[in-house]
Amino acid sequence: MDLKEIMQYDNFVVAGDTLNEEKYAYKIKHELIDNGYKVYSVGKELKSLNDIEEEVDILDLCINPPAGLKLLKENKKKFKGVIIQPGAGSEEITKFLDENNYNYMDGCLLVGIRLYPKNVTKMYKK
């Protein structure tokens, strides 16, 4: 799994503080939305991945490693892949993902959006 493949999916979960404009989780969430992706936010908005009713393609961990590991362990949903943002990874998370056969990679969705944008038409307000 690589960034090019990840950016072709539609439904994302951003795990982190998506309410604070200073945090990368907030920036990632809004970049995804602005580029036509469907985004759910877990951490400050939804408390659990299990609160999301529909299928999710990609989980973006943009949260401190202990909180990320807790979210993963409590999760009952399947994902096509997990992206671990810089600073969000740990040996425990990698071990958990390996043991549970998740596709994952270390990377940044902001980079992915810029390198591999989907073919969507943005609507601008005048």
Side-chain angles (χ1 to χ4, degrees), residues 9-14 29 32-41 52 54-58 118:
Y9 288 105
D10 297 312
N11 298 327
F12 286 73
V13 172
V14 177
K29 172 188 172 183
L32 286 167
I33 291 169
D34 289 349
N35 282 276
Y37 296 93
K38 187 165 193 175
V39 182
Y40 296 92
S41 305
I52 302 166
E54 68 182 285
E55 186 176 318
V56 175
D57 298 318
I58 303 295
K118 288 181 89 166

Side-chain angles (χ1 to χ4, degrees), residues 1 8 11 19 23 28 31 35 44-45 49 53 59-60 81 83-84 94 99 103 106 112 122 125:
M1 177 162 271
Q8 300 313 303
N11 298 327
L19 298 177
K23 299 291 187 173
I28 292 165
E31 279 285 323
N35 282 276
K44 298 288 182 176
E45 294 180 59
L49 298 165
E53 292 185 13
L59 168 61
D60 178 46
I83 186 161
I84 305 168
T94 302
E99 288 173 350
N103 291 318
D106 293 311
K122 291 185 182 181
K125 293 182 182 177

Side-chain angles (χ1 to χ4, degrees), residues 4 10 12 17 28 44 48 55 57 67-68 72-73 77-78 87-88 90-92 102-103 107 109 116 124:
K4 186 174 185 178
D10 297 312
F12 286 73
D17 187 350
I28 292 165
K44 298 288 182 176
S48 169
E55 186 176 318
D57 298 318
L72 287 168
K73 286 184 174 181
K77 298 188 85 57
K78 291 289 181 191
S90 69
E91 288 182 31
E92 292 85 1
Y102 279 104
N103 291 318
L109 285 182
Y116 309 108
Y124 295 96

Side-chain angles (χ1 to χ4, degrees), residues 15-32:
D17 187 350
T18 55
L19 298 177
N20 182 343
E21 293 180 15
E22 301 298 316
K23 299 291 187 173
Y24 276 101
Y26 175 93
K27 295 171 185 174
I28 292 165
K29 172 188 172 183
H30 290 279
E31 279 285 323
L32 286 167

